[in-house]
Amino acid sequence: MQALQVKILDPRIGRELPFPSYATEGSAGLDLRALLDAPLVLAPGETQLIRTGLAIYIADPGFAGLILPRSGLGHKHGIVLGNLVGLIDADYQGELMISCWNRGHTAFTLEPGERLAQYVLVPVVQARFEVVDEFHATARGSGGFGSSGRQ
Ligand SMILES: O=c1ccn([C@H]2C[C@H](O)[C@@H](COP(=O)(O)OP(=O)(O)OP(=O)(O)O)O2)c(=O)[nH]1
């Protein structure tokens, strides 16, 4: 388990909205809730940047955060992320923001405190790049996009 520093940026968190926590022992994602003053209607096709009231400072460059959609909202209501996936850098100290996109065909009302997305901490490896003229040959070479298995 990795310790992370969290700043609570809004007094409603801990009162009207619970402190962030994992829903179950095996949860990979931490639910992120919409910090809103009032219900927000998202028209079909509309995207809004939603506050969470939380800042999570990872600090260790061996980790990053991912903001991912919640399956139920995406599948049933077409509520997904405008950036598809949010990548949170280890040195980011600002508020976690959720780009909320209604990709569906009907308006969706987002309620204050609604669980909108999830935050997953993942290990990352920063690469050191070495410029070369030739790569060591491989069976695949530069074939891609369905090239394997063709006669
Ligand atoms: O869904 C997201 C995505 C990003 N961020 C924050 C954390 C991240 O570290 C920072 C920058 O994100 P990213 O690098 O993806 O944005 P950019 O468009 O490349 O802008 P920048 O020039 O600030 O890196 O914005 C969020 O709060 N939510």
Side-chain angles (χ1 to χ4, degrees):
M1 202 169 266
Q2 178 76 7
L4 294 181
Q5 293 182 5
V6 181
K7 262 193 199 169
I8 306 294
L9 304 175
D10 191 285
R12 283 171 285 184
I13 295 175
R15 288 193 209 148
E16 295 151 45
L17 271 69
F19 282 116
S21 66
Y22 290 101
T24 69
E25 208 175 307
S27 295
L30 189 72
D31 284 329
L32 295 177
R33 292 173 185 267
L35 187 69
L36 295 170
D37 296 331
L40 177 74
V41 178
L42 278 171
E46 190 179 354
T47 305
Q48 292 265 357
L49 203 55
I50 309 293
R51 294 188 60 196
T52 63
L54 296 173
I56 298 181
Y57 175 35
I58 298 171
D60 182 341
F63 292 90
L66 296 180
I67 296 183
L68 302 175
R70 293 188 66 228
S71 328
L73 274 184
H75 182 68
K76 292 185 202 145
H77 304 289
I79 298 298
V80 293
L81 304 176
N83 47 355
L84 305 186
V85 174
L87 176 61
I88 312 302
D89 300 286
D91 55 357
Y92 181 69
Q93 297 183 324
E95 181 167 1
L96 293 179
M97 302 296 290
I98 302 170
S99 173
C100 183
W101 172 31
N102 181 357
R103 66 158 176 75
H105 300 293
T106 51
F108 181 81
T109 303
L110 191 60
E111 299 294 338
E114 182 158 353
R115 292 178 301 155
L116 183 55
Q118 49 190 328
Y119 175 95
V120 180
L121 185 70
V122 292
V124 296
V125 178
Q126 276 189 338
R128 178 176 46 79
F129 295 97
E130 185 189 337
V131 177
V132 297
D133 291 326
E134 297 292 340
F135 292 131
H136 180 80
T138 65
R140 173 180 288 277
S142 51
F145 299 92
S147 67
S148 67
R150 283 200 197 134
Q151 295 303 315

